Amino acid sequence: MENSKTSIIRKVLMALSGLFLVIFLLQHLMINSLSVINPDSFNEVSHFMGTNPAVQFLLQPILIFGVILHLVMGIIIEQQNRNARPIKYAFSNAGANSSWMSRNMIISGITVMLFLGLHFYDFWFPEIDIKFIQGDMSGMLEGETDFRYFKELQHKFVSPVRMGIYCLSFVFLSLHLLHGFQSSFQTVGFKNRKYAPTIEKLGNIYAVAVPLGFIIIALFHFINSSH
Amino acid sequence: MSAAKKLNLTLKVWRQKNGNAKGNLETYPLADISPDSSFLEMLDILNNGLIDKGESPVVFDHDCREGICGSCSLYINGEPHGPARLVTTCQLHMRSFKDGETIYIEPFRAKAFPVIKDLMVDRSAFDRIQHAGGYISVNTSGNTQDANSIPIEKEDADEAFYSAACIGCGACVAACKNASASLFVAAKVSQYALLPQGKIEAKDRVLNMVKQAEKEGFGPCSNTGACEVECPKGISIENIARMNREFLSASITK
């Protein structure tokens, strides 16, 4: 138990929850991309994800636990980071030895978390309200025969301000992942000379492609909505 | 032989009477410094001038001046051991600086490295980490087996040697945004973990050394890689991944 209080264990929990969120994000992007390729499929998958008991009552709590664990560990570690150097340098040239992304994970992380708050406000809270408070599990609006999910998605990408916030948040997510992906493997001890180049390349591709994918999908709906 | 152009510099040096006193950056103009002189020689010249004026000389750590003892430190222009790579401050030469340049000289800063005076810090936390497990227990009664009689794979022997090249100067701590000692601890853990002699006490070693580092107040590792870049001996952060592996496996089984 004593070992679990060490920063290595905390960082490992941070890394594992981060890698779990990396997998979740990929799954989220795949579903989002259906909204561009085939809105009917998007509706069906969304309905399945929103009403399937295994997804709702097993995977969703695990996901929320993962997000909270990642956030709480991040804050605890950041506090520990700051305590370790009470007097700062008068002159620092940190850019000479490390990337901005690696030094500012807390900034990119908090930005992503703030976005997540907005995302919950936009999508998750209304979903919980409709399904579990109003008790409407049909996935349809009153008097309609089509699923509501695609229409709701389109509706959220009308405001240019929302679009701006959305895109900027994903830029920060990209910055977070550019360090976080490969750093997770290093923390769990998986990175060595043999695997490092592959992990770094894969991490860079993921960190750029996945957030860019979310941005492109959002822009697609935004542009469509303005016509 | 044509003499290289002498340098006129402005030094901003951290002065602090003792660990409890409040320190501040003092400005010292310094003229006619040879680009061929070492950084510590430049500080010697500054100190001679201060002594001549009846002022207190700047206190800084130094010993071998050959880059192998790990005594010298200094955070120079925002980097431990200055802007050059794979060198300690004693091997840094003034040719790395420009005429008219302002040079900031600060002590290595970490909660676990308290300032003793001026630029000298107490790095005994590293000694205590070593005492916690940075050794192998060997019976020296006269029956000790010759280490060379145990076959060791060349790659492992080389890796252990590279890790053992750590001189414990503390540049990794100074460079790290979290003042983490992970590279130091990882190098000391690795140099034994890779060899058969070290495997016997490997679990206790990694657990005790990591815990001691935390107790000393060093921060967590953010994997920024700054330590590896600034390490005068080029110790790789691959050692940190190895230390984490060792720590995780020891935590589960011990």
Side-chain angles (χ1 to χ4, degrees), chain A residues 6-15 73-74 76-78 80-82 84 102-103 105 179-180 182-189 191, chain B residues 172-173 175-186 210 213-214 217-228 236-244:
Chain A
T6 58
S7 65
I8 293 184
I9 299 293
R10 284 179 180 151
K11 293 290 294 194
V12 166
L13 290 173
M14 186 92 189
M73 282 298 148
I76 293 172
I77 290 166
E78 179 63 17
Q80 229 179 323
N81 291 349
R82 284 167 192 261
S102 69
R103 296 193 307 275
M105 290 296 275
H179 177 67
Q182 54 94 12
S183 177
S184 306
F185 286 92
Q186 165 80 1
T187 298
V188 297
K191 217 170 149 193
Chain B
C172 46
V173 173
C176 178
K177 74 179 188 70
N178 314 331
S180 171
S182 289
L183 193 65
F184 168 77
V185 182
V210 167
E214 301 248 330
F218 293 107
C221 174
S222 286
N223 301 323
T224 66
C227 51
E228 182 184 77
S236 166
I237 55 169
E238 208 179 300
N239 289 299
I240 298 177
R242 183 181 296 111
M243 172 179 72
N244 288 5

Side-chain angles (χ1 to χ4, degrees), chain B:
Chain B
M1 199 176 86
S2 65
K5 192 180 178 299
K6 297 281 178 85
L7 305 171
N8 293 317
L9 305 161
T10 303
L11 304 182
K12 301 262 186 193
V13 184
W14 184 261
R15 301 302 309 264
Q16 187 175 334
K17 276 201 172 99
N18 56 56
N20 299 322
K22 198 174 173 290
N24 63 297
L25 281 172
E26 287 283 342
T27 306
Y28 299 104
L30 199 59
D32 291 332
I33 296 297
S34 164
D36 295 329
S37 64
S38 78
F39 198 86
L40 295 187
E41 283 165 351
M42 181 275 291
L43 285 180
D44 291 338
I45 294 166
L46 169 73
N47 275 347
N48 285 340
L50 290 173
I51 292 165
D52 285 346
K53 283 193 276 182
E55 291 177 30
S56 163
V58 177
V59 173
F60 59 92
D61 269 316
H62 62 100
D63 191 8
C64 75
R65 299 208 179 196
E66 290 179 339
I68 53 165
C69 74
S71 287
C72 60
S73 55
L74 307 185
Y75 199 75
I76 303 159
N77 275 355
E79 290 179 81
H81 297 300
R85 295 286 170 252
L86 299 171
V87 294
T88 50
T89 296
C90 62
Q91 297 171 301
L92 177 69
H93 284 82
M94 295 313 294
R95 64 183 81 100
S96 298
F97 300 89
K98 291 188 206 87
D99 184 35
E101 193 168 342
T102 298
I103 306 174
Y104 285 81
I105 312 167
E106 296 177 75
F108 281 1
R109 293 217 181 275
K111 186 183 172 190
F113 285 169
V115 171
I116 297 170
K117 188 175 165 63
D118 295 336
L119 302 170
M120 181 187 269
V121 296
D122 179 358
R123 285 172 281 179
S124 58
F126 270 14
D127 298 335
R128 290 187 290 275
I129 293 171
Q130 277 286 66
H131 295 166
Y135 53 82
I136 53 166
S137 305
V138 178
N139 183 342
T140 52
S141 60
N143 303 320
T144 316
Q145 187 185 5
D146 189 329
N148 289 321
S149 65
I150 306 168
I152 299 166
E153 198 179 331
K154 169 92 170 64
E155 214 170 281
D156 286 342
D158 285 348
E159 279 293 317
F161 187 80
Y162 296 144
S163 308
C166 167
I167 53 174
C169 65
C172 46
V173 173
C176 178
K177 74 179 188 70
N178 314 331
S180 171
S182 289
L183 193 65
F184 168 77
V185 182
K188 298 301 170 194
V189 164
S190 290
Q191 78 182 58
Y192 298 110
L194 287 156
L195 301 176
Q197 294 93 333
K199 289 210 195 307
I200 301 147
E201 293 157 305
K203 286 178 185 172
D204 283 332
R205 176 179 306 114
V206 70
L207 292 174
N208 294 339
M209 289 181 84
V210 167
K211 278 181 207 159
Q212 187 63 36
E214 301 248 330
K215 203 171 140 194
E216 297 291 346
F218 293 107
C221 174
S222 286
N223 301 323
T224 66
C227 51
E228 182 184 77
V229 174
E230 300 291 357
C231 175
K233 297 297 155 188
I235 305 289
S236 166
I237 55 169
E238 208 179 300
N239 289 299
I240 298 177
R242 183 181 296 111
M243 172 179 72
N244 288 5
R245 274 200 301 278
E246 292 265 324
F247 187 85
L248 283 174
S249 121
S251 295
I252 293 163
T253 55
K254 192 96 184 171

Side-chain angles (χ1 to χ4, degrees), chain A residues 33-77:
Chain A
S33 61
L34 286 177
S35 71
V36 174
I37 304 162
N38 188 339
D40 288 339
S41 304
F42 174 77
N43 271 331
E44 273 165 36
V45 174
S46 298
H47 188 66
F48 170 80
M49 296 297 278
T51 52
N52 183 282
V55 176
Q56 284 297 303
F57 303 114
L58 182 69
L59 297 181
Q60 190 163 262
I62 293 174
L63 174 66
I64 292 169
F65 176 74
V67 172
I68 292 171
L69 182 70
H70 201 69
L71 173 70
V72 171
M73 282 298 148
I75 291 167
I76 293 172
I77 290 166

Side-chain angles (χ1 to χ4, degrees), chain A residues 35 88 112 176 201:
Chain A
S35 71
K88 308 280 170 230
V112 172
H176 199 71
K201 233 176 266 172

